[in-house]
Amino acid sequence: MSRIGHLAVSTAIVSAVCSSLALASSHREAPFTAANPTIDATDFYMFRAYGNGATNAAAVATDSVVLIANYNPLQDPYGGPNYFALNPNALYAINIDNNGDAKPDISFQFQFKNNYKGTALNTGAKDSTGKAVNVAIPLIVSGPLGVTGDNSTDASANRYETYTINMIRGTTVTALMTTGGSATFQKPIDNIGTKTIPDYNAYANTFIQNVSFGSCGTGQIFVGQRREGFIINLGETFDLLDLNPLGGRNSTQNTVAGKSITSIVMQVPVACLTKDSKGSTASADPVLGGWTTSYLRQARVLNPTPASTNNTEVVGGAWTQVSRLGNPLVNELVIGLPDKDRFNDSQPKDDAQFANYVTNPTLPVLINALFPGATMVPAAPRADLAAVFLTGLSLKATGGTTPIFSNNPSDYGDPVAASEELRLNTSIPPVATTAQSNLGLLACDTSGFPNGRRPGDDVVDIALNATEGAVYPGDPNSLQSCDVSSGTPTVVHANAVVNDGASADATDINYYLPAFPYLAAPLPGATNAARAATGSLPTSTGTAAGGDTR
Protein backbone atom coordinates (compact mmCIF):
# COMPACT_ATOMS: atom_id res chain seq x y z
CA MET A 1 0.00 0.00 0.00
CA SER A 2 1.26 3.46 -0.85
CA ARG A 3 2.25 5.47 2.18
CA ILE A 4 1.07 8.65 0.45
CA GLY A 5 -2.44 7.39 -0.16
CA HIS A 6 -2.73 5.90 3.30
CA LEU A 7 -1.32 8.94 5.04
CA ALA A 8 -3.56 11.36 3.18
CA VAL A 9 -6.83 9.89 4.37
CA SER A 10 -5.64 8.94 7.82
CA THR A 11 -4.14 12.33 8.44
CA ALA A 12 -7.43 13.86 7.43
CA ILE A 13 -9.17 11.86 10.09
CA VAL A 14 -6.73 12.72 12.81
CA SER A 15 -6.62 16.38 11.97
CA ALA A 16 -10.37 16.58 11.94
CA VAL A 17 -10.75 14.26 14.88
CA CYS A 18 -7.77 13.24 16.90
CA SER A 19 -5.58 16.25 17.31
CA SER A 20 -8.56 18.47 17.51
CA LEU A 21 -11.55 16.34 18.39
CA ALA A 22 -11.36 13.21 20.45
CA LEU A 23 -13.73 11.15 22.48
CA ALA A 24 -17.09 12.79 22.97
CA SER A 25 -19.12 15.65 21.88
CA SER A 26 -19.01 19.09 23.44
CA HIS A 27 -20.97 18.46 26.64
CA ARG A 28 -20.05 20.68 29.61
CA GLU A 29 -16.67 21.31 27.98
CA ALA A 30 -15.76 24.66 29.53
CA PRO A 31 -16.29 26.22 32.97
CA PHE A 32 -18.73 28.92 31.83
CA THR A 33 -20.89 26.70 29.64
CA ALA A 34 -20.98 24.00 32.32
CA ALA A 35 -22.51 26.60 34.65
CA ASN A 36 -24.94 27.80 31.95
CA PRO A 37 -26.28 24.69 30.20
CA THR A 38 -29.04 26.41 28.18
CA ILE A 39 -26.40 28.08 25.98
CA ASP A 40 -24.01 25.10 25.88
CA ALA A 41 -23.70 23.75 22.33
CA THR A 42 -23.27 19.96 22.51
CA ASP A 43 -23.12 18.78 18.87
CA PHE A 44 -23.16 20.27 15.41
CA TYR A 45 -24.10 18.20 12.37
CA MET A 46 -23.93 19.27 8.74
CA PHE A 47 -24.68 16.81 5.91
CA ARG A 48 -26.47 16.36 2.62
CA ALA A 49 -30.09 15.29 3.13
CA TYR A 50 -30.48 11.51 2.85
CA GLY A 51 -33.20 8.89 3.24
CA ASN A 52 -33.50 5.15 3.61
CA GLY A 53 -33.03 2.64 0.82
CA ALA A 54 -36.41 3.33 -0.73
CA THR A 55 -36.48 7.13 -0.47
CA ASN A 56 -32.83 8.10 -0.79
CA ALA A 57 -33.24 9.10 -4.44
CA ALA A 58 -35.95 11.56 -3.42
CA ALA A 59 -33.72 12.92 -0.66
CA VAL A 60 -30.85 13.40 -3.10
CA ALA A 61 -33.21 15.18 -5.49
CA THR A 62 -34.00 17.81 -2.85
CA ASP A 63 -30.37 18.94 -3.13
CA SER A 64 -30.45 20.14 0.47
CA VAL A 65 -28.10 20.48 3.41
CA VAL A 66 -29.24 19.56 6.91
CA LEU A 67 -27.91 21.63 9.81
CA ILE A 68 -28.44 20.44 13.38
CA ALA A 69 -27.29 22.44 16.40
CA ASN A 70 -27.85 20.74 19.76
CA TYR A 71 -27.93 22.57 23.09
CA ASN A 72 -28.51 21.94 26.80
CA PRO A 73 -26.68 18.63 27.42
CA LEU A 74 -27.52 15.52 29.41
CA GLN A 75 -31.22 16.17 29.97
CA ASP A 76 -33.00 13.57 32.09
CA PRO A 77 -36.44 12.76 30.64
CA TYR A 78 -38.07 13.18 34.07
CA GLY A 79 -36.59 16.67 34.55
CA GLY A 80 -39.80 18.42 35.64
CA PRO A 81 -41.60 20.47 36.55
CA ASN A 82 -39.90 23.09 34.33
CA TYR A 83 -38.14 20.74 31.91
CA PHE A 84 -35.72 22.30 29.40
CA ALA A 85 -36.76 25.57 27.83
CA LEU A 86 -34.11 27.45 25.88
CA ASN A 87 -32.88 30.78 27.23
CA PRO A 88 -35.12 33.71 26.24
CA ASN A 89 -32.25 36.11 26.99
CA ALA A 90 -29.86 34.32 24.61
CA LEU A 91 -29.21 34.38 20.89
CA TYR A 92 -28.50 31.09 19.10
CA ALA A 93 -26.85 30.98 15.67
CA ILE A 94 -25.77 28.59 12.92
CA ASN A 95 -22.99 30.13 10.83
CA ILE A 96 -21.91 29.27 7.28
CA ASP A 97 -18.60 30.22 5.62
CA ASN A 98 -18.95 29.60 1.88
CA ASN A 99 -15.72 31.16 0.56
CA GLY A 100 -12.99 29.87 2.87
CA ASP A 101 -12.21 33.16 4.64
CA ALA A 102 -13.20 31.86 8.13
CA LYS A 103 -15.92 34.50 8.47
CA PRO A 104 -19.67 33.89 8.48
CA ASP A 105 -21.20 34.68 5.09
CA ILE A 106 -24.63 33.49 6.24
CA SER A 107 -25.91 33.30 9.79
CA PHE A 108 -29.25 31.91 10.95
CA GLN A 109 -30.08 33.53 14.29
CA PHE A 110 -32.75 32.20 16.66
CA GLN A 111 -34.38 33.99 19.60
CA PHE A 112 -36.83 32.30 21.95
CA LYS A 113 -39.64 33.51 24.16
CA ASN A 114 -41.41 31.80 27.05
CA ASN A 115 -45.15 32.46 27.05
CA TYR A 116 -47.07 31.99 30.30
CA LYS A 117 -50.86 31.71 30.35
CA GLY A 118 -51.29 31.78 34.13
CA THR A 119 -53.69 28.84 34.20
CA ALA A 120 -55.53 28.78 37.52
CA LEU A 121 -57.79 26.26 39.25
CA ASN A 122 -60.82 26.80 41.43
CA THR A 123 -59.80 25.51 44.84
CA GLY A 124 -63.33 25.58 46.19
CA ALA A 125 -62.58 28.48 48.50
CA LYS A 126 -64.25 31.89 48.34
CA ASP A 127 -63.00 35.34 49.27
CA SER A 128 -64.74 37.79 51.63
CA THR A 129 -67.07 38.90 48.84
CA GLY A 130 -68.11 35.34 48.06
CA LYS A 131 -66.12 35.19 44.84
CA ALA A 132 -64.43 31.89 43.97
CA VAL A 133 -60.66 31.83 44.59
CA ASN A 134 -58.66 30.68 41.57
CA VAL A 135 -55.01 29.74 42.21
CA ALA A 136 -52.25 29.48 39.61
CA ILE A 137 -51.08 25.92 39.00
CA PRO A 138 -47.39 25.01 39.51
CA LEU A 139 -47.03 23.00 36.28
CA ILE A 140 -46.38 23.91 32.62
CA VAL A 141 -49.41 21.84 31.57
CA SER A 142 -52.84 21.36 33.11
CA GLY A 143 -53.93 18.30 31.14
CA PRO A 144 -53.16 16.11 28.12
CA LEU A 145 -51.95 18.05 25.08
CA GLY A 146 -53.65 17.90 21.72
CA VAL A 147 -51.95 17.13 18.41
CA THR A 148 -52.50 20.53 16.88
CA GLY A 149 -49.10 22.12 16.29
CA ASP A 150 -50.28 25.15 18.24
CA ASN A 151 -49.68 25.29 21.98
CA SER A 152 -50.95 28.86 22.10
CA THR A 153 -54.51 27.69 21.52
CA ASP A 154 -54.25 24.42 23.46
CA ALA A 155 -55.99 25.06 26.78
CA SER A 156 -53.76 22.46 28.49
CA ALA A 157 -50.50 24.26 27.68
CA ASN A 158 -49.68 26.63 30.54
CA ARG A 159 -46.21 27.58 29.28
CA TYR A 160 -45.08 27.35 25.68
CA GLU A 161 -42.10 28.56 23.65
CA THR A 162 -42.10 30.58 20.46
CA TYR A 163 -39.13 31.70 18.39
CA THR A 164 -38.13 33.89 15.48
CA ILE A 165 -35.36 33.35 12.89
CA ASN A 166 -33.33 36.01 11.16
CA MET A 167 -31.16 35.10 8.18
CA ILE A 168 -28.14 37.44 8.03
CA ARG A 169 -26.37 37.63 4.67
CA GLY A 170 -23.76 40.38 4.70
CA THR A 171 -25.62 43.42 5.99
CA THR A 172 -29.01 42.14 4.86
CA VAL A 173 -31.30 40.84 7.61
CA THR A 174 -34.28 38.75 6.51
CA ALA A 175 -36.91 37.45 8.91
CA LEU A 176 -37.65 33.89 7.85
CA MET A 177 -41.29 32.96 7.55
CA THR A 178 -43.32 29.82 7.19
CA THR A 179 -44.71 29.17 3.73
CA GLY A 180 -48.02 30.18 5.33
CA GLY A 181 -46.66 33.66 6.04
CA SER A 182 -45.94 33.56 9.80
CA ALA A 183 -42.68 34.88 11.23
CA THR A 184 -43.38 33.25 14.62
CA PHE A 185 -42.54 29.58 15.08
CA GLN A 186 -43.44 27.29 17.98
CA LYS A 187 -41.42 24.68 19.82
CA PRO A 188 -43.16 21.55 21.17
CA ILE A 189 -43.26 21.01 24.90
CA ASP A 190 -40.73 18.41 26.08
CA ASN A 191 -41.75 14.76 26.42
CA ILE A 192 -43.24 14.93 29.91
CA GLY A 193 -44.83 11.47 29.80
CA THR A 194 -47.37 9.27 28.08
CA LYS A 195 -50.35 10.61 30.03
CA THR A 196 -49.57 14.21 29.08
CA ILE A 197 -48.61 13.35 25.48
CA PRO A 198 -49.70 9.81 24.51
CA ASP A 199 -48.04 9.90 21.06
CA TYR A 200 -45.06 12.25 21.24
CA ASN A 201 -43.95 11.53 17.67
CA ALA A 202 -47.30 12.62 16.26
CA TYR A 203 -47.39 15.65 18.57
CA ALA A 204 -43.85 16.85 17.85
CA ASN A 205 -44.16 16.34 14.09
CA THR A 206 -46.94 18.92 13.94
CA PHE A 207 -44.28 21.53 14.81
CA ILE A 208 -42.20 20.82 11.69
CA GLN A 209 -42.63 23.88 9.51
CA ASN A 210 -41.98 24.55 5.84
CA VAL A 211 -40.02 27.75 5.53
CA SER A 212 -39.18 30.04 2.64
CA PHE A 213 -35.56 31.09 2.12
CA GLY A 214 -36.49 33.51 -0.63
CA SER A 215 -35.69 33.04 -4.32
CA CYS A 216 -33.31 30.12 -3.67
CA GLY A 217 -36.06 27.82 -2.44
CA THR A 218 -37.89 26.38 0.55
CA GLY A 219 -36.88 24.03 3.33
CA GLN A 220 -37.91 22.85 6.76
CA ILE A 221 -37.42 23.98 10.37
CA PHE A 222 -37.87 22.13 13.64
CA VAL A 223 -36.79 23.06 17.14
CA GLY A 224 -37.52 20.70 19.99
CA GLN A 225 -36.35 18.04 22.39
CA ARG A 226 -34.73 15.00 20.78
CA ARG A 227 -33.09 11.85 22.04
CA GLU A 228 -29.34 12.17 22.54
CA GLY A 229 -27.85 10.59 19.42
CA PHE A 230 -24.22 10.92 20.38
CA ILE A 231 -23.18 7.38 21.32
CA ILE A 232 -20.34 7.18 23.81
CA ASN A 233 -19.07 5.29 26.82
CA LEU A 234 -18.90 8.67 28.54
CA GLY A 235 -18.14 7.84 32.17
CA GLU A 236 -15.30 5.47 31.35
CA THR A 237 -13.86 7.84 28.76
CA PHE A 238 -13.32 10.61 31.28
CA ASP A 239 -12.26 8.19 34.02
CA LEU A 240 -8.78 8.31 32.50
CA LEU A 241 -9.90 6.23 29.49
CA ASP A 242 -10.97 3.23 31.58
CA LEU A 243 -11.85 1.31 28.41
CA ASN A 244 -11.26 -1.98 26.62
CA PRO A 245 -10.18 -0.40 23.30
CA LEU A 246 -9.73 -3.75 21.54
CA GLY A 247 -13.16 -5.09 22.54
CA GLY A 248 -16.18 -5.37 20.29
CA ARG A 249 -17.91 -2.39 18.69
CA ASN A 250 -21.51 -2.16 19.88
CA SER A 251 -23.92 0.23 21.55
CA THR A 252 -24.37 -1.69 24.79
CA GLN A 253 -22.01 0.57 26.71
CA ASN A 254 -23.65 3.84 25.68
CA THR A 255 -23.80 5.58 29.04
CA VAL A 256 -25.89 8.52 27.75
CA ALA A 257 -28.58 6.26 26.27
CA GLY A 258 -31.37 7.72 28.40
CA LYS A 259 -30.52 11.39 27.91
CA SER A 260 -32.07 14.07 25.71
CA ILE A 261 -30.93 17.33 24.15
CA THR A 262 -32.66 20.30 22.50
CA SER A 263 -32.15 20.47 18.74
CA ILE A 264 -32.35 23.27 16.22
CA VAL A 265 -32.82 21.46 12.89
CA MET A 266 -32.84 23.11 9.47
CA GLN A 267 -33.02 21.67 5.97
CA VAL A 268 -31.80 24.31 3.51
CA PRO A 269 -31.39 24.12 -0.29
CA VAL A 270 -27.73 23.94 -1.31
CA ALA A 271 -28.32 26.96 -3.56
CA CYS A 272 -29.16 29.06 -0.50
CA LEU A 273 -25.81 28.31 1.13
CA THR A 274 -23.08 28.08 -1.50
CA LYS A 275 -21.19 31.12 -2.77
CA ASP A 276 -23.41 31.52 -5.83
CA SER A 277 -26.45 32.63 -3.86
CA LYS A 278 -28.61 33.36 -6.93
CA GLY A 279 -29.74 29.78 -7.16
CA SER A 280 -27.23 28.14 -9.50
CA THR A 281 -24.50 25.93 -8.07
CA ALA A 282 -22.82 25.26 -11.41
CA SER A 283 -20.04 27.79 -10.81
CA ALA A 284 -20.15 27.78 -7.03
CA ASP A 285 -17.55 26.54 -4.61
CA PRO A 286 -19.37 23.48 -3.21
CA VAL A 287 -17.47 23.52 0.10
CA LEU A 288 -19.21 24.89 3.18
CA GLY A 289 -17.65 25.58 6.55
CA GLY A 290 -20.05 25.63 9.47
CA TRP A 291 -20.22 26.15 13.21
CA THR A 292 -22.80 27.05 15.82
CA THR A 293 -22.60 29.79 18.43
CA SER A 294 -24.64 31.25 21.26
CA TYR A 295 -24.61 34.70 22.81
CA LEU A 296 -25.69 36.46 25.99
CA ARG A 297 -26.06 40.15 26.64
CA GLN A 298 -22.99 41.79 28.14
CA ALA A 299 -24.76 42.99 31.29
CA ARG A 300 -27.25 41.43 33.65
CA VAL A 301 -28.98 42.91 36.69
CA LEU A 302 -30.91 40.59 38.97
CA ASN A 303 -34.25 41.76 40.30
CA PRO A 304 -34.29 41.27 44.09
CA THR A 305 -38.10 41.35 44.16
CA PRO A 306 -39.35 39.91 40.86
CA ALA A 307 -43.02 40.52 40.23
CA SER A 308 -43.33 37.49 37.95
CA THR A 309 -41.41 34.58 36.46
CA ASN A 310 -40.47 36.71 33.46
CA ASN A 311 -39.16 39.52 35.66
CA THR A 312 -36.18 37.94 37.43
CA GLU A 313 -33.46 39.80 35.53
CA VAL A 314 -32.82 42.69 33.19
CA VAL A 315 -30.21 42.24 30.47
CA GLY A 316 -28.56 44.77 28.19
CA GLY A 317 -25.49 45.73 26.26
CA ALA A 318 -23.90 44.09 23.24
CA TRP A 319 -24.38 40.43 22.38
CA THR A 320 -21.35 38.51 23.66
CA GLN A 321 -20.40 35.09 22.29
CA VAL A 322 -20.26 32.44 25.03
CA SER A 323 -20.28 29.11 23.15
CA ARG A 324 -18.81 27.86 19.89
CA LEU A 325 -18.80 24.45 18.23
CA GLY A 326 -17.71 23.22 14.81
CA ASN A 327 -16.02 19.82 14.93
CA PRO A 328 -16.83 17.75 18.01
CA LEU A 329 -14.57 17.78 21.04
CA VAL A 330 -12.10 20.49 20.10
CA ASN A 331 -12.69 22.38 23.32
CA GLU A 332 -13.23 19.30 25.46
CA LEU A 333 -10.05 17.34 24.79
CA VAL A 334 -7.73 19.54 22.76
CA ILE A 335 -7.86 23.09 24.10
CA GLY A 336 -6.03 23.43 27.42
CA LEU A 337 -8.03 24.16 30.56
CA PRO A 338 -6.83 27.80 30.88
CA ASP A 339 -8.09 28.63 27.37
CA LYS A 340 -11.45 26.83 27.24
CA ASP A 341 -13.62 29.88 27.86
CA ARG A 342 -11.43 31.95 25.56
CA PHE A 343 -11.91 29.43 22.75
CA ASN A 344 -15.68 29.56 23.21
CA ASP A 345 -15.54 33.35 22.90
CA SER A 346 -13.29 33.34 19.80
CA GLN A 347 -13.90 33.49 16.06
CA PRO A 348 -12.60 30.97 13.47
CA LYS A 349 -10.70 33.76 11.71
CA ASP A 350 -8.53 34.14 14.83
CA ASP A 351 -7.70 30.46 15.32
CA ALA A 352 -3.97 30.95 14.80
CA GLN A 353 -3.83 31.74 18.51
CA PHE A 354 -4.73 28.11 19.28
CA ALA A 355 -2.44 26.47 16.70
CA ASN A 356 -0.06 25.14 19.34
CA TYR A 357 -2.80 22.87 20.69
CA VAL A 358 -3.14 21.29 17.23
CA THR A 359 0.52 21.04 16.26
CA ASN A 360 1.45 19.75 19.72
CA PRO A 361 -1.59 17.70 20.78
CA THR A 362 -1.59 16.42 24.34
CA LEU A 363 -4.14 13.64 23.85
CA PRO A 364 -1.72 11.12 22.30
CA VAL A 365 0.74 11.81 25.11
CA LEU A 366 -1.96 11.22 27.71
CA ILE A 367 -3.00 7.97 26.03
CA ASN A 368 0.58 6.72 26.01
CA ALA A 369 0.95 7.60 29.67
CA LEU A 370 -2.23 5.68 30.53
CA PHE A 371 -1.42 2.70 28.27
CA PRO A 372 2.39 2.46 28.40
CA GLY A 373 3.95 0.92 25.31
CA ALA A 374 0.62 0.26 23.62
CA THR A 375 1.26 2.19 20.42
CA MET A 376 3.58 4.63 18.81
CA VAL A 377 2.35 8.20 18.29
CA PRO A 378 3.80 10.53 15.63
CA ALA A 379 6.23 13.02 17.10
CA ALA A 380 5.26 16.65 17.62
CA PRO A 381 5.09 19.22 16.19
CA ARG A 382 2.28 17.90 13.98
CA ALA A 383 2.53 20.31 11.06
CA ASP A 384 0.76 17.75 8.86
CA LEU A 385 -2.25 17.66 11.15
CA ALA A 386 -2.43 21.43 11.37
CA ALA A 387 -2.33 21.80 7.60
CA VAL A 388 -5.06 19.25 6.88
CA PHE A 389 -7.30 19.96 9.87
CA LEU A 390 -7.32 23.73 9.58
CA THR A 391 -7.79 24.02 5.83
CA GLY A 392 -9.86 21.03 4.70
CA LEU A 393 -8.75 17.89 2.91
CA SER A 394 -7.36 17.45 -0.59
CA LEU A 395 -6.66 13.78 -1.26
CA LYS A 396 -4.97 12.74 -4.50
CA ALA A 397 -3.67 9.49 -5.96
CA THR A 398 0.07 8.95 -6.09
CA GLY A 399 1.38 11.38 -8.69
CA GLY A 400 -2.11 12.71 -9.40
CA THR A 401 -3.12 16.35 -9.56
CA THR A 402 -6.93 16.12 -9.37
CA PRO A 403 -8.34 15.39 -5.89
CA ILE A 404 -10.16 12.10 -5.49
CA PHE A 405 -11.78 13.67 -2.46
CA SER A 406 -11.70 17.28 -1.32
CA ASN A 407 -13.42 19.55 1.13
CA ASN A 408 -10.72 22.20 0.76
CA PRO A 409 -12.02 25.51 -0.70
CA SER A 410 -8.71 26.14 -2.48
CA ASP A 411 -9.44 23.24 -4.84
CA TYR A 412 -12.41 25.27 -6.09
CA GLY A 413 -10.70 28.61 -6.59
CA ASP A 414 -11.11 30.11 -3.12
CA PRO A 415 -8.19 30.90 -0.84
CA VAL A 416 -8.61 29.29 2.55
CA ALA A 417 -7.87 30.77 5.96
CA ALA A 418 -6.71 28.25 8.55
CA SER A 419 -9.64 27.86 10.92
CA GLU A 420 -11.51 25.26 12.94
CA GLU A 421 -14.78 24.65 11.09
CA LEU A 422 -16.82 21.58 10.18
CA ARG A 423 -16.41 21.35 6.38
CA LEU A 424 -18.79 19.75 3.89
CA ASN A 425 -18.38 19.27 0.14
CA THR A 426 -21.97 19.58 -1.05
CA SER A 427 -21.15 18.10 -4.47
CA ILE A 428 -20.60 14.66 -2.92
CA PRO A 429 -23.97 12.85 -3.00
CA PRO A 430 -25.37 11.38 0.22
CA VAL A 431 -25.95 7.68 0.73
CA ALA A 432 -28.94 5.96 2.31
CA THR A 433 -28.89 5.02 5.98
CA THR A 434 -28.41 1.35 5.09
CA ALA A 435 -25.30 2.18 3.02
CA GLN A 436 -23.62 4.50 5.53
CA SER A 437 -20.51 3.44 7.40
CA ASN A 438 -20.26 4.89 10.88
CA LEU A 439 -16.50 5.07 10.36
CA GLY A 440 -16.98 7.63 7.58
CA LEU A 441 -13.86 8.28 5.57
CA LEU A 442 -11.93 5.56 7.44
CA ALA A 443 -14.26 3.17 5.61
CA CYS A 444 -13.99 5.14 2.33
CA ASP A 445 -17.50 6.51 2.86
CA THR A 446 -16.77 9.98 1.50
CA SER A 447 -20.22 11.29 2.45
CA GLY A 448 -19.37 10.88 6.13
CA PHE A 449 -17.18 12.50 8.74
CA PRO A 450 -14.94 14.44 8.35
CA ASN A 451 -16.84 15.47 5.22
CA GLY A 452 -19.42 17.18 7.35
CA ARG A 453 -20.92 15.04 10.09
CA ARG A 454 -24.00 12.81 10.04
CA PRO A 455 -25.85 11.78 13.22
CA GLY A 456 -24.74 8.14 12.81
CA ASP A 457 -21.03 8.89 12.30
CA ASP A 458 -19.04 7.35 15.16
CA VAL A 459 -16.53 10.13 15.65
CA VAL A 460 -15.37 8.58 18.92
CA ASP A 461 -14.07 5.43 17.25
CA ILE A 462 -12.70 7.37 14.30
CA ALA A 463 -10.75 9.50 16.77
CA LEU A 464 -9.42 6.57 18.75
CA ASN A 465 -8.42 4.74 15.59
CA ALA A 466 -6.46 7.73 14.34
CA THR A 467 -4.95 8.53 17.73
CA GLU A 468 -3.48 5.06 17.98
CA GLY A 469 -1.40 5.48 14.84
CA ALA A 470 -3.51 5.09 11.70
CA VAL A 471 -2.03 8.29 10.27
CA TYR A 472 1.58 7.46 10.99
CA PRO A 473 3.69 6.54 7.92
CA GLY A 474 3.62 2.78 7.65
CA ASP A 475 0.64 2.46 10.03
CA PRO A 476 2.59 0.65 12.78
CA ASN A 477 -0.55 -0.77 14.40
CA SER A 478 -2.21 -1.82 11.12
CA LEU A 479 -5.45 -0.01 11.91
CA GLN A 480 -8.32 0.42 9.49
CA SER A 481 -7.97 3.27 7.02
CA CYS A 482 -8.67 4.21 3.40
CA ASP A 483 -5.96 4.07 0.74
CA VAL A 484 -6.37 6.42 -2.24
CA SER A 485 -2.91 5.97 -3.73
CA SER A 486 -4.15 3.84 -6.66
CA GLY A 487 -6.86 6.32 -7.59
CA THR A 488 -9.61 4.10 -6.21
CA PRO A 489 -10.40 4.53 -2.50
CA THR A 490 -9.85 1.12 -0.87
CA VAL A 491 -10.33 0.05 2.75
CA VAL A 492 -7.23 -1.48 4.28
CA HIS A 493 -6.92 -3.41 7.56
CA ALA A 494 -10.70 -3.73 7.75
CA ASN A 495 -12.21 -4.16 11.22
CA ALA A 496 -8.97 -3.35 13.02
CA VAL A 497 -10.67 -0.55 14.94
CA VAL A 498 -9.72 0.82 18.33
CA ASN A 499 -12.99 1.74 20.05
CA ASP A 500 -14.74 2.83 23.25
CA GLY A 501 -17.18 -0.09 23.41
CA ALA A 502 -20.11 1.93 22.04
CA SER A 503 -21.01 2.19 18.38
CA ALA A 504 -23.53 4.31 16.47
CA ASP A 505 -25.85 2.81 13.85
CA ALA A 506 -27.70 5.12 11.46
CA THR A 507 -30.44 2.49 10.99
CA ASP A 508 -31.29 2.36 14.72
CA ILE A 509 -34.68 4.09 14.90
CA ASN A 510 -34.37 4.39 18.67
CA TYR A 511 -31.85 7.16 18.04
CA TYR A 512 -32.08 8.23 14.40
CA LEU A 513 -34.64 8.82 11.67
CA PRO A 514 -34.04 8.37 7.92
CA ALA A 515 -35.71 11.73 7.22
CA PHE A 516 -36.19 15.16 8.72
CA PRO A 517 -35.59 15.95 11.60
CA TYR A 518 -33.18 12.96 11.60
CA LEU A 519 -32.89 12.64 15.40
CA ALA A 520 -35.46 10.41 17.13
CA ALA A 521 -38.03 11.62 19.62
CA PRO A 522 -36.87 11.79 23.26
CA LEU A 523 -37.77 9.19 25.82
CA PRO A 524 -40.86 10.07 27.91
CA GLY A 525 -40.34 11.34 31.42
CA ALA A 526 -42.90 8.79 32.59
CA THR A 527 -44.11 5.68 30.80
CA ASN A 528 -46.99 5.08 33.23
CA ALA A 529 -46.27 1.38 33.23
CA ALA A 530 -48.31 0.94 36.41
CA ARG A 531 -51.40 2.28 34.67
CA ALA A 532 -50.90 -0.07 31.73
CA ALA A 533 -50.34 -3.02 34.05
CA THR A 534 -53.35 -2.51 36.32
CA GLY A 535 -55.85 -0.73 34.11
CA SER A 536 -57.51 0.48 37.33
CA LEU A 537 -55.97 3.89 37.95
CA PRO A 538 -58.24 6.92 37.56
CA THR A 539 -58.11 8.59 34.16
CA SER A 540 -59.67 12.01 34.83
CA THR A 541 -57.31 14.97 34.86
CA GLY A 542 -59.16 17.19 37.29
CA THR A 543 -61.30 20.27 36.94
CA ALA A 544 -60.01 23.44 35.35
CA ALA A 545 -60.67 26.99 36.46
CA GLY A 546 -64.27 27.98 35.93
CA GLY A 547 -65.49 24.43 36.39
CA ASP A 548 -64.56 23.09 32.94
CA THR A 549 -63.74 19.39 32.96
CA ARG A 550 -60.58 18.47 31.08
Side-chain angles (χ1 to χ4, degrees), residues 27-87:
H27 299 63
R28 297 175 53 82
E29 82 288 351
F32 185 84
T33 53
N36 296 271
T38 61
I39 51 83
D40 185 2
T42 69
D43 285 285
F44 178 57
Y45 303 93
M46 181 168 63
F47 55 93
R48 282 283 307 274
Y50 58 80
N52 57 27
T55 64
N56 198 54
V60 174
T62 66
D63 199 23
S64 296
V65 171
V66 179
L67 307 166
I68 304 177
N70 288 344
Y71 286 90
N72 208 349
L74 305 177
Q75 300 174 17
D76 288 316
Y78 48 82
N82 290 296
Y83 295 92
F84 302 98
L86 289 173
N87 190 337

Side-chain angles (χ1 to χ4, degrees), residues 145-150 154 197 199 202-204 206:
L145 296 171
V147 184
T148 65
D150 187 357
D154 191 323
I197 313 173
D199 186 344
Y203 165 75
T206 62

Side-chain angles (χ1 to χ4, degrees), residues 23-24 74 231-243 253-257 500 502:
L23 310 176
L74 305 177
I231 311 299
I232 184 173
N233 200 358
L234 190 62
E236 284 72 12
T237 294
F238 287 110
D239 186 18
L240 298 179
L241 299 176
D242 187 18
L243 303 168
Q253 299 181 65
N254 178 25
T255 52
V256 297
D500 71 329

Side-chain angles (χ1 to χ4, degrees), residues 192-216:
I192 295 172
T194 55
K195 183 177 181 181
T196 302
I197 313 173
D199 186 344
Y200 193 83
N201 269 320
Y203 165 75
N205 285 346
T206 62
F207 291 87
I208 296 175
Q209 292 286 342
N210 294 322
V211 62
S212 172
F213 294 101
S215 61
C216 59

